[in-house]
Amino acid sequence: MQASAKKLHRSQTSLHTQMANQQKARRIAVLGSRAVGKSSLVIQFCENHFVESYYPTIENTFTKTIKYRGHEFSVEIMDTAGQDEFSILSSHQATNIHGYVLAYSITSKSSFDMIKIIRDKILNYTGMDNVPCIIAGNKSDLNIQRQVSEQESKELAAQWHCPSIEVSAKHNENISKYFACRGLSL
Ligand SMILES: Nc1nc2c(ncn2[C@@H]2O[C@H](COP(=O)(O)OP(=O)(O)OP(=O)(O)O)[C@@H](O)[C@H]2O)c(=O)[nH]1
Ligand SMILES: [Mg+2]
């Protein structure tokens, strides 16, 4: 093979590898009100333990490699600070994201209402009509303090054409399912 042809072949191969790698990388942002358990969910998923104490987050990024249907995915999960109606999305929270986890606590109606506000902010920011997301109702172990029914979250999910799931970071229930659902099937 001629030197120039070899060079072209090498650069094509490296471009091909780069594209393949890109296809297997996923970026997920976890957003929601304060103290709904965003960090607990991410830590349970990435590090397999539950933290009882509450440390408000500024921002953290976790990475986990997952094998899914024979492919390895590198999943980058952005754990964000709790949002209220006045917080402003930063550009890295709203761009280059493959999927959003909109988290609320089943024990807090206001945190459920907040995910609607957050989604509106994302739509405004991106100029899209819809974004890939999953509705995650955390603290399902606290059923006795429930303020949001599963039906309400299912109705919202139908409206947004997205999945919804109830999870417990404490009991490690449905966590992998919910990250797999959002991160890998996109
Ligand atoms: N019972 C129960 N408690 C939980 C669960 N998940 C989180 N918690 C508790 O709720 C509190 C807040 O959890 P965090 O994960 O820090 O909440 P956060 O959404 O990251 O909070 P910010 O970073 O301030 O936005 C902590 O005391 C956790 O132990 C859960 O599934 N069940
Ligand atoms: Mg946090």
Side-chain angles (χ1 to χ4, degrees):
M1 208 189 288
Q2 293 270 309
S4 57
K6 263 188 188 164
K7 210 169 155 187
L8 180 66
H9 176 71
R10 260 205 311 272
S11 69
Q12 278 174 343
T13 311
S14 111
L15 185 65
H16 190 256
T17 315
Q18 264 178 30
M19 281 168 69
N21 286 343
Q22 268 173 15
Q23 279 163 0
K24 290 177 189 169
R26 296 287 184 269
R27 281 187 88 221
I28 296 175
V30 185
L31 295 163
S33 298
R34 287 186 67 159
V36 297
K38 298 180 295 301
S39 303
S40 305
L41 288 167
V42 176
I43 291 168
Q44 184 61 272
F45 180 62
C46 295
E47 298 175 359
N48 302 306
H49 64 96
F50 176 66
V51 187
E52 279 286 349
S53 12
Y54 174 40
Y55 304 105
T57 308
I58 297 174
E59 189 164 291
N60 270 324
T61 301
F62 293 75
T63 314
K64 184 163 162 130
T65 305
I66 303 168
K67 228 174 173 183
Y68 184 72
R69 293 189 178 162
H71 293 281
E72 280 207 340
F73 290 82
S74 167
V75 186
E76 194 181 298
I77 304 169
M78 197 193 303
D79 176 24
T80 62
Q83 297 262 326
D84 60 33
E85 52 269 65
F86 306 111
S87 13
I88 294 166
L89 282 186
S90 55
S91 64
H92 66 286
Q93 289 172 348
T95 42
N96 293 326
I97 301 289
H98 293 96
Y100 295 89
V101 170
L102 299 177
Y104 69 96
S105 163
I106 68 150
T107 66
S108 158
K109 177 77 169 73
S110 63
S111 73
F112 183 65
D113 293 337
M114 185 56 60
I115 65 169
K116 301 170 195 168
I117 296 174
I118 294 171
R119 182 173 175 273
D120 278 347
K121 286 188 203 177
I122 299 169
L123 296 185
N124 275 337
Y125 197 102
T126 56
M128 316 248 272
D129 295 333
N130 201 5
V131 279
C133 65
I134 182 168
I135 300 173
N138 189 37
K139 308 199 186 182
S140 64
D141 55 293
L142 299 178
N143 199 32
I144 200 155
Q145 296 171 35
R146 182 186 282 277
Q147 290 184 1
V148 184
S149 70
E150 204 164 359
Q151 186 55 28
E152 280 174 275
S153 81
K154 281 191 178 145
E155 280 167 16
L156 192 60
Q159 213 178 305
W160 292 353
H161 308 289
C162 75
S164 71
I165 190 165
E166 289 198 348
V167 291
S168 168
K170 186 168 185 171
H171 291 178
N172 196 5
E173 259 166 22
N174 286 339
I175 311 282
S176 301
K177 204 163 135 191
Y178 113 114
F179 274 106
C181 187
R182 182 65 287 140
L184 307 178
S185 60
L186 293 169

